[in-house]
Amino acid sequence: MRPSRRTALTAAVLLAAGALAGCERGSSAGGGEATAGPRGCPAVLARAKAAVARAERTDVPWNGPTRGPRAVPGKTIVYVAQTMTNPGVAGTAQGVRQAAKVIGWRVRVIDGGGTPAGIQAALSEAVTLKPSGIVIGGFDPHSTARQVAQAEAAHIPLVGWHAVARPGPSTKPRLFTNVTTKVEDTARISADWVIARSNGRAGVVIFTDASIPFARNKSELIRKELASCRDVRLLAYENIPIPDTGSRTPQEVSSLLSRFPHDWNFSVAINDLYFADAAPALRAGGRQGSGPPFNIGAGDGDPSAFQRINHRQYQAATVPEPLTQQGWQMIDEFNRAFSGRGPSGYKAPVHVATAANSAGATSWNPRGYRAAYRKIWGS
């Protein structure tokens, strides 16, 4: 073969290989993930910016239940917590306590300590106490199948918080209802915020806890939404169990800074807690608190997350769960169960909190929920 023809053939092969690589959906957690579609993502970017603008509104009125059964007196609720070091779990537990005081019930919180054995022991203890109802607070009921079966046999209704992937009732495992925002909405808006803030060009790290099905599902949905914009590259997908964030996150962040000193400019975590533990390593790595990387938590919007956001210290945004409102909702759901009614079906609207729209607040809850629940209960 002549040199000129050989050169032309080689160039054609390389060009074809490059075209194939550009169309391929990669899954590497280390070197960046290629995504499908034409270069850039103008349509996706426009949609993302519009969605984020809606989610950042702060004037949304209460759209939850306004009718329901009057308060059933004399009930006792046990809140079984995955771990009280999880700010979302702790926040909703506090909401349950507040609402129980209003409706006239007693509450006990049992901390599972974040380990399978601890959570199983905590739920076993809860069943033994024979309460009126039990909250499954932030853990997978399948991991406590024996204890869940015991509660069902004892006719103790279970209400979950982030217990299964979707809001509403569940048959396997049997939950009267699961209280959460819609995970698809939370995942999509957190990814949309990255797309909108970066104008469709970002190098992203995702932090997740794959041991919790709810969290794993959320991070996979985030990954999928990010992949809708070709020039948003997934650099790494870090699986760090929530109980291990304090010990593992700093060293993982240091490693990421070494691996991606220039490309890493956005992060999404399934829980704000990761950024509390990432901050010292980012600071030690010479990064400014105002970013990059610009970090968004896809839940839960605890007070420390708002403080980091308001002071621009290694977190730029959060998609907060309305933790206190959800605690009140769980009490309302139990009251419906005790009254022989069905669940309310309510799920809070998705919201994005930033320094620009939080007005210095350290939480977010829909307006008017306390008055609405008090009126329903007659309390």
Side-chain angles (χ1 to χ4, degrees):
M1 183 180 294
R2 296 177 185 175
S4 59
R5 292 183 60 191
R6 185 182 297 112
T7 300
L9 181 58
T10 301
V13 170
L14 290 173
L15 182 61
L20 287 171
C23 295
E24 188 175 310
R25 283 187 189 270
S27 58
S28 169
E33 187 169 294
T35 54
R39 186 153 187 82
C41 57
V44 172
L45 178 59
R47 179 189 56 74
K49 287 186 173 182
V52 170
R54 288 192 300 270
E56 289 180 342
R57 290 179 53 190
T58 59
D59 58 348
V60 179
W62 171 249
N63 66 343
T66 56
R67 296 181 180 180
R70 307 285 280 185
V72 177
K75 298 298 182 179
T76 300
I77 304 298
V78 175
Y79 188 113
V80 179
Q82 179 244 358
T83 171
M84 289 295 281
T85 62
N86 181 330
V89 171
T92 51
Q94 183 61 25
V96 166
R97 288 190 180 106
Q98 289 180 11
K101 186 175 181 179
V102 170
I103 204 172
W105 296 352
R106 295 183 300 276
V107 172
R108 177 173 174 180
V109 176
I110 304 177
D111 190 347
T115 67
I119 294 167
Q120 289 168 5
L123 188 51
S124 289
E125 181 181 352
V127 174
T128 301
L129 293 172
K130 298 181 180 179
S132 308
I134 296 174
V135 175
I136 304 295
F139 60 89
D140 179 10
H142 290 101
S143 68
T144 55
R146 182 171 64 85
Q147 291 82 6
V148 167
Q150 290 171 343
E152 185 175 354
H155 304 289
I156 301 172
L158 303 177
V159 168
W161 180 79
H162 285 206
V164 293
R166 297 183 179 277
S170 170
T171 55
K172 292 182 180 181
R174 184 171 296 281
L175 303 176
F176 178 74
T177 195
N178 181 52
V179 175
T180 177
T181 52
K182 191 175 179 181
V183 67
E184 291 88 350
D185 294 342
T186 300
R188 185 180 300 111
I189 201 65
S190 60
D192 283 349
W193 182 88
V194 171
I195 293 169
R197 177 71 184 268
S198 69
N199 279 316
R201 295 178 182 272
V204 187
V205 172
I206 294 176
F207 295 93
T208 190
D209 181 349
S211 70
I212 303 173
F214 182 90
R216 184 176 62 247
N217 181 42
K218 184 191 294 184
S219 56
E220 286 300 318
L221 291 167
I222 292 167
R223 186 207 293 255
K224 182 178 179 181
E225 182 69 8
L226 291 172
S228 68
C229 190
R230 177 177 180 79
D231 291 334
V232 173
R233 295 183 300 130
L234 180 60
L235 302 176
Y237 190 89
E238 297 292 334
N239 175 29
I240 303 174
I242 286 176
D244 298 339
T245 56
S247 59
R248 287 187 52 191
T249 303
Q251 64 187 34
E252 293 297 338
V253 167
S254 296
S255 174
L256 289 165
L257 288 172
S258 297
R259 292 161 59 196
F260 309 110
H262 305 296
D263 293 339
W264 179 22
N265 48 28
F266 283 86
S267 310
V268 188
I270 55 93
N271 190 297
D272 297 294
L273 187 63
Y274 290 93
F275 300 129
D277 296 314
L282 290 169
R283 188 178 294 111
R287 297 302 178 96
Q288 298 296 311
S290 56
F294 302 101
N295 301 319
I296 182 170
D300 295 313
D302 65 279
S304 66
F306 275 86
Q307 289 167 2
R308 287 190 298 275
I309 291 165
N310 292 335
H311 296 287
R312 292 173 171 82
Q313 288 297 304
Y314 303 101
Q315 186 166 350
T318 185
V319 184
E321 295 277 1
L323 300 176
T324 307
Q325 178 271 316
Q326 288 177 334
W328 283 61
Q329 182 180 346
M330 283 188 270
I331 291 297
D332 184 63
E333 301 292 2
F334 277 122
N335 193 54
R336 291 168 189 270
F338 302 150
S339 302
R341 306 282 189 90
S344 72
Y346 177 67
K347 55 181 182 295
V350 71
H351 178 69
V352 173
T354 66
N357 70 359
S358 69
T362 57
S363 65
W364 176 80
N365 290 282
R367 294 181 179 182
Y369 72 93
R370 284 186 172 92
Y373 286 126
R374 282 178 176 272
K375 185 176 180 180
I376 290 170
W377 305 334
S379 300

